[in-house]
Amino acid sequence: MAITVSSPDFANRTRMPDALTADFGSTAPVIEVTGVPAEAVELALVCHDPDAPMPLGFTHWTVYGIPADATRIAGDTGRQGVTSAGESGYFGPQPPVGHGDHSYYFWVYALSRRVEGEPTSDEFLHDYADDILEQNRIVGYYSR
C-alpha cells in the first residue's frame, strides 16, 4: 500500500481557503496520512512553494518527530521547524499581489530513522534523502 496524503481543509489541486493564508491568520491545515510503511520510524512534513520569486522557492512549514503511526498532522504535531521567514511553525501562503497562482506542496515523508533537531527543509532533504522510505504530497493553490 502506498502512502497517501489528503486534507479535510482543501482538496488536492484546488484553491486553499483564506483562513490558511498569512493574510487571514495562518491557521495550519490538517494533513491526513494513510499507508505508511510498517518499517517507518518517523514521519516528516515539508510545505514548499516552488513558485515564490526566490532562487529556492519558499518553505512554509516543516514538522519533524511525527510518530510513524500518526494519521493526522496539525499545527500542534511534532517539532515545528523553521520556515524560510526564519520563524518556527506554519507560515501561511502569501504570494505577491498579482503574481498569479502559487502551488503549495505539502510533502509527507516516511523515514527509516529519526530526524535530529529542526533542520531547514534543504538540510533535511540533503541529510535524510537516503532515509526516505516513501513520500507523497497534496497540492493547494493560492493567489492574491
Side-chain angles (χ1 to χ4, degrees), residues 15-27 90-94 142:
R15 182 178 170 85
M16 295 174 64
D18 288 344
L20 304 180
T21 70
D23 290 333
F24 294 93
S26 285
T27 300
Y90 177 75
F91 183 87
Q94 194 176 43
Y142 191 73

Side-chain angles (χ1 to χ4, degrees), residues 43 62-67 70 72-81 118:
L43 302 177
T62 57
V63 185
Y64 306 110
I66 304 166
R72 181 181 180 278
I73 303 168
D76 60 352
T77 303
R79 294 188 317 278
Q80 302 290 310
E118 289 84 34

